[in-house]
Amino acid sequence: MIIQQCQSLNEKLKEHKKLLHLQGKASQLKKIEIQLHEINEEVQNNISSAKSLSSEKILVIKKLPPLKNAAIKLSSLENVLAEDPLHLTDGKDFYNAKKTIENFNTKTKDFTREAWKCHVKSLKPDVQLSKLRNLASKDQASLIHEISSLLDQLHEIESKLPQDRSEVLRHKEIVEKIVTLRNQIRPENLDPEVDRFFDEVNKPGGVNLDLLTDSVRQYLKENGEMENYRINPKSRF
């Protein structure tokens, strides 16, 4: 009787040990599932960014890193999952595939980011808020506020890769609006002497008197700005 009970208990212990082993494997598979989900999400995001830039001819899809090796590794993982899911917990197949896919992701993201960076640089509007504030008349204060807000929006869009074409178009739309508003304050035909004066006036050392030309004085008078500027002597000691 005691022998049979011991044998029965031993069998139960073996079964319990087997269940614990399978439980450990299940935990490993869950971790692999989470990592696969993260990798898949990153692949989709990178390809979406590339397609959004390609739609506006900012990037050529054919120049992206080849997806063939990553696709082969993913196909291999699918076969392992179909035939022997627990084999994935050995690590080799999964981590080799993970490394290949991560390499594709890194190269794709770097290529796309560089294309976006060049595009952003090519469209960057020539805007100096401090200069525009000096050029703006009192009734153009709202334009300065709007430009400032648009510049913040532009910075936010430029700081990350676009995920769809609408974000690329939104970037272009904001740039065009900033330029339009800027030109309402600073006309394209602005006298070069006036332009240079306002370039220098906000610098720490101020502006040299030789830049206060007749053209500048006339501009300040016509725009009611004479009272906003004073000449102070520079300390010589």
PDB file of all heavy atoms in Angstrom, residues 54 58 67 71 86 90 139 164 189 214 233 236:
ATOM      1  N   SER A  54       7.881  58.897 -50.340  1.00  0.00           N
ATOM      2  CA  SER A  54       7.913  58.504 -51.755  1.00  0.00           C
ATOM      3  C   SER A  54       6.735  59.102 -52.519  1.00  0.00           C
ATOM      4  O   SER A  54       6.871  59.479 -53.688  1.00  0.00           O
ATOM      5  CB  SER A  54       7.878  56.978 -51.862  1.00  0.00           C
ATOM      6  OG  SER A  54       7.765  56.567 -53.202  1.00  0.00           O
ATOM      7  N   ILE A  58      10.068  62.575 -52.397  1.00  0.00           N
ATOM      8  CA  ILE A  58      11.153  62.986 -51.502  1.00  0.00           C
ATOM      9  C   ILE A  58      12.150  61.848 -51.349  1.00  0.00           C
ATOM     10  O   ILE A  58      13.320  62.056 -51.050  1.00  0.00           O
ATOM     11  CB  ILE A  58      10.571  63.367 -50.107  1.00  0.00           C
ATOM     12  CG1 ILE A  58       9.604  64.537 -50.259  1.00  0.00           C
ATOM     13  CG2 ILE A  58      11.673  63.708 -49.106  1.00  0.00           C
ATOM     14  CD1 ILE A  58       8.765  64.800 -49.023  1.00  0.00           C
ATOM     15  N   LEU A  67      14.578  44.038 -48.583  1.00  0.00           N
ATOM     16  CA  LEU A  67      13.794  43.362 -47.546  1.00  0.00           C
ATOM     17  C   LEU A  67      13.904  41.838 -47.640  1.00  0.00           C
ATOM     18  O   LEU A  67      13.429  41.115 -46.769  1.00  0.00           O
ATOM     19  CB  LEU A  67      12.317  43.791 -47.685  1.00  0.00           C
ATOM     20  CG  LEU A  67      11.301  43.333 -46.659  1.00  0.00           C
ATOM     21  CD1 LEU A  67      11.709  43.786 -45.258  1.00  0.00           C
ATOM     22  CD2 LEU A  67       9.921  43.848 -47.000  1.00  0.00           C
ATOM     23  N   ALA A  71      12.631  39.022 -44.985  1.00  0.00           N
ATOM     24  CA  ALA A  71      11.443  38.251 -45.368  1.00  0.00           C
ATOM     25  C   ALA A  71      11.712  36.746 -45.254  1.00  0.00           C
ATOM     26  O   ALA A  71      10.851  35.977 -44.814  1.00  0.00           O
ATOM     27  CB  ALA A  71      11.023  38.603 -46.791  1.00  0.00           C
ATOM     28  N   LEU A  86       7.592  25.142 -29.729  1.00  0.00           N
ATOM     29  CA  LEU A  86       8.494  25.134 -28.583  1.00  0.00           C
ATOM     30  C   LEU A  86       9.959  25.254 -29.007  1.00  0.00           C
ATOM     31  O   LEU A  86      10.808  25.655 -28.218  1.00  0.00           O
ATOM     32  CB  LEU A  86       8.300  23.853 -27.750  1.00  0.00           C
ATOM     33  CG  LEU A  86       6.972  23.739 -26.992  1.00  0.00           C
ATOM     34  CD1 LEU A  86       6.930  22.443 -26.199  1.00  0.00           C
ATOM     35  CD2 LEU A  86       6.767  24.934 -26.060  1.00  0.00           C
ATOM     36  N   ASP A  90      14.393  27.746 -27.969  1.00  0.00           N
ATOM     37  CA  ASP A  90      15.832  27.445 -27.951  1.00  0.00           C
ATOM     38  C   ASP A  90      16.643  28.712 -28.258  1.00  0.00           C
ATOM     39  O   ASP A  90      17.831  28.793 -27.939  1.00  0.00           O
ATOM     40  CB  ASP A  90      16.175  26.357 -28.971  1.00  0.00           C
ATOM     41  CG  ASP A  90      15.566  25.010 -28.580  1.00  0.00           C
ATOM     42  OD1 ASP A  90      15.277  24.840 -27.381  1.00  0.00           O
ATOM     43  OD2 ASP A  90      15.374  24.166 -29.458  1.00  0.00           O
ATOM     44  N   ASP A 139      -0.385  97.188 -35.867  1.00  0.00           N
ATOM     45  CA  ASP A 139      -1.562  96.395 -36.233  1.00  0.00           C
ATOM     46  C   ASP A 139      -1.190  95.037 -36.833  1.00  0.00           C
ATOM     47  O   ASP A 139      -2.066  94.281 -37.269  1.00  0.00           O
ATOM     48  CB  ASP A 139      -2.454  97.179 -37.208  1.00  0.00           C
ATOM     49  CG  ASP A 139      -1.731  97.536 -38.508  1.00  0.00           C
ATOM     50  OD1 ASP A 139      -0.501  97.342 -38.558  1.00  0.00           O
ATOM     51  OD2 ASP A 139      -2.391  98.010 -39.444  1.00  0.00           O
ATOM     52  N   ASP A 164       2.233  59.287 -42.768  1.00  0.00           N
ATOM     53  CA  ASP A 164       1.398  59.224 -43.966  1.00  0.00           C
ATOM     54  C   ASP A 164       1.561  60.509 -44.788  1.00  0.00           C
ATOM     55  O   ASP A 164       2.159  61.482 -44.328  1.00  0.00           O
ATOM     56  CB  ASP A 164      -0.083  58.989 -43.622  1.00  0.00           C
ATOM     57  CG  ASP A 164      -0.630  60.019 -42.660  1.00  0.00           C
ATOM     58  OD1 ASP A 164      -0.492  61.224 -42.942  1.00  0.00           O
ATOM     59  OD2 ASP A 164      -1.189  59.624 -41.620  1.00  0.00           O
ATOM     60  N   ASN A 189      10.566  93.208 -51.753  1.00  0.00           N
ATOM     61  CA  ASN A 189      11.311  94.325 -52.357  1.00  0.00           C
ATOM     62  C   ASN A 189      11.846  95.294 -51.300  1.00  0.00           C
ATOM     63  O   ASN A 189      12.115  96.461 -51.588  1.00  0.00           O
ATOM     64  CB  ASN A 189      10.427  95.082 -53.364  1.00  0.00           C
ATOM     65  CG  ASN A 189       9.193  95.686 -52.683  1.00  0.00           C
ATOM     66  OD1 ASN A 189       8.895  95.376 -51.529  1.00  0.00           O
ATOM     67  ND2 ASN A 189       8.480  96.550 -53.402  1.00  0.00           N
ATOM     68  N   ASP A 214      20.046 107.272 -45.020  1.00  0.00           N
ATOM     69  CA  ASP A 214      18.844 108.052 -45.332  1.00  0.00           C
ATOM     70  C   ASP A 214      17.661 107.134 -45.634  1.00  0.00           C
ATOM     71  O   ASP A 214      16.515 107.429 -45.262  1.00  0.00           O
ATOM     72  CB  ASP A 214      19.107 108.958 -46.537  1.00  0.00           C
ATOM     73  CG  ASP A 214      20.086 110.088 -46.202  1.00  0.00           C
ATOM     74  OD1 ASP A 214      20.235 110.380 -44.997  1.00  0.00           O
ATOM     75  OD2 ASP A 214      20.680 110.660 -47.132  1.00  0.00           O
ATOM     76  N   PRO A 233      25.565 106.125 -26.077  1.00  0.00           N
ATOM     77  CA  PRO A 233      27.007 106.000 -26.269  1.00  0.00           C
ATOM     78  C   PRO A 233      27.539 104.681 -25.705  1.00  0.00           C
ATOM     79  O   PRO A 233      27.047 104.182 -24.701  1.00  0.00           O
ATOM     80  CB  PRO A 233      27.560 107.196 -25.492  1.00  0.00           C
ATOM     81  CG  PRO A 233      26.538 107.453 -24.432  1.00  0.00           C
ATOM     82  CD  PRO A 233      25.221 107.151 -25.077  1.00  0.00           C
ATOM     83  N   ARG A 236      33.552 103.767 -22.986  1.00  0.00           N
ATOM     84  CA  ARG A 236      34.962 103.691 -23.458  1.00  0.00           C
ATOM     85  C   ARG A 236      35.903 103.315 -22.350  1.00  0.00           C
ATOM     86  O   ARG A 236      37.126 103.289 -22.540  1.00  0.00           O
ATOM     87  CB  ARG A 236      35.352 105.046 -24.056  1.00  0.00           C
ATOM     88  CG  ARG A 236      34.621 105.380 -25.347  1.00  0.00           C
ATOM     89  CD  ARG A 236      34.996 106.752 -25.845  1.00  0.00           C
ATOM     90  NE  ARG A 236      34.432 107.803 -24.946  1.00  0.00           N
ATOM     91  CZ  ARG A 236      34.696 109.098 -25.079  1.00  0.00           C
ATOM     92  NH1 ARG A 236      35.516 109.497 -26.044  1.00  0.00           N
ATOM     93  NH2 ARG A 236      34.145 109.969 -24.260  1.00  0.00           N
TER      94      ARG A 236
END
